Amino acid sequence: MKFKVAEDVDAPLGFVYVRLADFTRLEEEIRGRGAELKRDGNWTQAAAGCGWKGNVTVRGKPRRIDASIGHMAENDTILVESKVGGMDCTYEMTFYEMAPEITRVSTVLELKPNTLSARLVIQTLKLARGRVLQKMTGSLVRRGNEIEAEYRAQSS
């Protein structure tokens, strides 16, 4: 199952990429939602192969999460691959320069179940597809607005 969302951010491509590649901030957001997450190998600079291990609650049950950065191409793409319970997940962010100070960020979340319980989770998500897309869009819009505000403050 795939979920696709895109948002235009009023800031240069390099600026947007650096802000969205800030995995420390992403980790804080995930922990704020109740997940336990630790860096695998105590890395400090994000690069392909860096990863996380932890636990997250899905449908009321704690599930193991193993995630890693599969690919990072500066100012182009970031691909995060993970396994949550019995599900393989890939999250890809692609960056496009629409104009010198406008960047389109396109995100794709793909979920592939490997177990019966993961298939049940996917069925639930199919029924709630609209809400999931709405939450993904809202999250990307909020982050885009924060990046735009940072850019305007820095440019002033």
Side-chain angles (χ1 to χ4, degrees):
M1 170 173 230
K2 281 188 181 181
F3 297 97
K4 298 178 184 179
V5 174
E7 174 67 17
D8 290 348
V9 180
D10 294 336
L13 175 65
F15 190 85
V16 173
Y17 179 86
V18 167
R19 294 309 185 273
L20 288 175
D22 181 3
F23 288 103
T24 302
R25 180 179 170 86
L26 180 64
E27 291 167 6
E28 290 171 5
E29 286 179 25
I30 291 170
R31 285 189 195 106
R33 294 183 184 143
E36 297 172 20
L37 198 62
K38 292 185 180 179
R39 288 184 178 186
D40 192 20
N42 294 323
W43 49 272
T44 55
Q45 191 69 18
C50 296
W52 302 266
K53 291 191 184 300
N55 293 301
V56 64
T57 302
V58 179
R59 293 188 70 196
K61 289 186 176 180
R63 306 195 191 260
R64 179 125 182 90
I65 181 170
D66 291 311
S68 65
I69 300 170
H71 177 74
M72 277 185 83
E74 190 170 346
N75 296 336
D76 187 32
T77 58
I78 299 172
L79 177 70
V80 177
E81 300 166 331
S82 59
K83 291 183 186 294
V84 179
M87 195 176 344
D88 293 331
C89 309
T90 56
Y91 184 74
E92 181 176 20
M93 285 189 286
T94 308
F95 303 85
Y96 304 98
E97 184 175 54
M98 305 304 286
E101 290 192 0
I102 299 175
T103 303
R104 176 164 294 155
V105 180
S106 175
T107 63
V108 178
L109 174 64
E110 185 173 5
L111 308 172
K112 293 182 182 177
N114 296 325
T115 64
L116 181 59
S117 62
R119 286 184 184 161
L120 292 172
V121 170
I122 293 292
Q123 288 302 324
T124 304
L125 289 175
K126 282 183 181 178
L127 294 172
R129 183 176 184 83
R131 265 190 323 209
V132 173
L133 287 170
Q134 190 176 31
K135 284 185 177 188
M136 285 179 65
T137 301
S139 177
L140 188 57
V141 167
R142 271 190 308 278
R143 189 66 183 117
N145 289 341
E146 291 170 7
I147 292 169
E148 289 172 0
E150 288 177 38
Y151 178 68
R152 283 192 297 269
Q154 182 185 14
S155 298
S156 300

